[in-house]
Amino acid sequence: MFSDSENHRSDPLSGSTADSADKHDQLYVTEAEEAVDELERVSGVHPGYRRAHAGGFCCRASFLPSGKAAPFTTAPHLQDREIKAIVRFSGSSTDPALADLLSPAKGMAVQFALPDGEVTNMVGVTVPVFFARTPSSFMDMLTTLNRTKAGKMPKSEALRHFARHFGESRQSLLALKRLKPPVSYATNLYYCIHVYMLVDAEGRRRPVKFEWIPDLGVHTLSIHDAAALPDDYLEKELELRMLSQPPSFKLNIVFGEESDPTDDPTKRWPSDRARINAGRLVLLEPIAEPRGLLMDPTAVPEGIALSDDPILNFRRETYAESMKRRSGGH
């Protein structure tokens, strides 16, 4: 149900297609191991923590679908019944001790508990696009950064490497530059930057993106005001806020058109694309992070399929490798 790998293979008895898929899967596994190695070099190994978005804060939540998505998908969490959820907020750093102010981009990952006992996840961030179009360009940029920091690559060579990828990373860098410290985790707009396919009862597929819109609105602080707050002010603020008035988010589904790319997470879709309000997520209370919580954005139920975005598909093995290492105490 949660893996679409078989959809890309022919019958094992029919010949080379399955063999080719196996080789492709193994390539992704090898690349994932190398990617996690590079992430560990950014700020060192922090045993028991994720290799990215290391520091996090979890809460129990409830999602009430509006029913407006039901004509477009059979996904059980987008129909007409209330769904329990876990939400994890985080900074983007590989260092779990880094102050909130020093990690500009924030994350919001939502895990929905489906009626059949399985889960599905939506992973959002406060920038609308990713900085790399393919796993190879992601690796090249990360390796260049680490080698430069370690004094193993001259800055002139590093600049040439980054210049080669500037076209694909430009929109992400501009969005990151515009970010201001948020008042609260609950006053950010979070973009699920990858394209997914909604699949209806007749099998029709529609490309979509997801957005979490804060009902409180988007509110930010000046750098000066944020610097006067505790390093973990966002966690403390949200804990207090939930005691008085549970904050909430609206889930927007954005429908792509034929000209919109489905395989490039560095590109935005035009702002005039059709949207529907698919439901409302309410944050209820803080909880300790559940052991083994894995917010894999490729874990999708029937009624949702992965797009051909190579970064999205690469995340499955990368998340699994990170989970293996932190579960083993590394």
Side-chain angles (χ1 to χ4, degrees):
M1 175 177 175
F2 283 92
S3 172
D4 67 340
S5 59
E6 294 302 321
N7 296 335
H8 304 292
R9 303 183 186 187
S10 60
D11 189 312
L13 300 177
S14 66
S16 63
T17 304
D19 292 339
S20 175
D22 286 337
K23 290 178 181 177
H24 186 263
D25 289 349
Q26 184 56 48
L27 177 61
Y28 264 163
V29 170
T30 302
E31 289 180 332
E33 292 171 349
E34 294 172 352
V36 175
D37 287 343
E38 290 298 332
L39 286 169
E40 290 179 345
R41 293 186 181 105
V42 174
S43 66
V45 176
H46 304 278
Y49 286 93
R50 286 168 170 79
R51 271 40 185 181
H53 293 268
F57 172 73
C58 290
C59 55
R60 186 172 64 85
S62 175
F63 180 70
L64 185 62
S66 67
K68 292 181 180 179
F72 308 105
T73 177
T74 58
H77 62 302
L78 296 175
Q79 301 304 309
D80 57 2
R81 60 179 293 180
E82 187 173 5
I83 299 289
K84 293 180 180 179
I86 294 172
V87 180
R88 184 180 188 269
F89 293 99
S90 63
S92 56
S93 175
T94 60
D95 182 355
L98 194 70
D100 292 338
L101 178 61
L102 300 180
S103 181
K106 309 303 179 190
M108 174 179 161
V110 182
Q111 184 168 98
F112 302 89
L114 302 179
D116 63 0
E118 299 285 357
V119 298
T120 186
N121 307 305
M122 287 186 188
V123 177
V125 289
T126 51
V127 290
V129 291
F130 197 55
F131 65 88
R133 188 177 65 82
T134 66
S136 61
S137 59
F138 169 77
M139 283 294 297
D140 189 28
M141 284 187 264
L142 195 56
T143 302
T144 299
L145 172 65
N146 284 333
R147 291 191 67 198
T148 305
K149 285 175 57 179
K152 296 180 179 179
M153 180 181 289
K155 290 184 179 179
S156 58
E157 184 181 347
L159 287 173
R160 286 195 296 272
H161 275 259
F162 285 124
R164 186 167 64 212
H165 298 293
F166 181 72
E168 61 188 283
S169 61
R170 180 174 178 272
Q171 289 299 320
S172 175
L173 294 174
L174 288 173
L176 196 63
K177 185 178 179 181
R178 288 193 290 265
L179 286 178
K180 296 180 179 179
V183 167
S184 170
Y185 277 135
T187 62
N188 280 322
L189 192 161
Y190 296 92
Y191 304 89
C192 303
I193 59 177
H194 300 292
V195 176
Y196 292 83
M197 311 300 292
L198 292 189
V199 186
D200 65 21
E202 285 72 44
R204 181 178 175 184
R205 298 159 64 95
R206 297 173 175 86
V208 299
K209 291 186 177 184
F210 301 101
E211 299 173 343
W212 290 108
I213 313 298
D215 285 329
L216 291 168
V218 174
H219 300 286
T220 58
L221 299 167
S222 68
I223 296 292
H224 179 270
D225 289 342
L229 296 172
D231 286 352
D232 59 348
Y233 81 92
L234 288 172
E235 178 177 333
K236 296 180 184 301
E237 191 281 338
L238 191 55
E239 285 181 328
L240 289 174
R241 188 182 291 274
M242 280 191 282
L243 290 175
S244 57
Q245 180 64 45
S248 58
F249 292 84
K250 177 176 68 176
L251 176 62
N252 268 359
I253 297 180
V254 185
F255 288 86
E257 297 185 2
E258 188 173 350
S259 60
D260 296 329
T262 60
D263 63 348
D264 189 347
T266 71
K267 297 287 180 63
R268 295 194 71 170
W269 286 354
S271 58
D272 63 354
R273 293 298 179 251
R275 286 169 164 78
I276 60 171
N277 174 6
R280 187 166 177 261
L281 180 77
V282 180
L283 310 181
L284 300 175
E285 63 178 354
I287 60 170
E289 179 163 336
R291 183 175 177 83
L293 180 67
L294 179 62
M295 295 292 199
D296 176 3
T298 70
V300 293
E302 181 180 350
I304 298 178
L306 304 183
S307 68
D308 51 353
D309 178 347
I311 291 288
L312 173 60
N313 287 274
F314 178 58
R315 285 181 183 266
R316 178 189 290 117
E317 282 75 21
T318 307
Y319 277 56
E321 179 64 21
S322 175
M323 167 63 86
K324 181 175 74 173
R325 296 189 192 188
R326 64 185 170 98
S327 298
H330 302 293

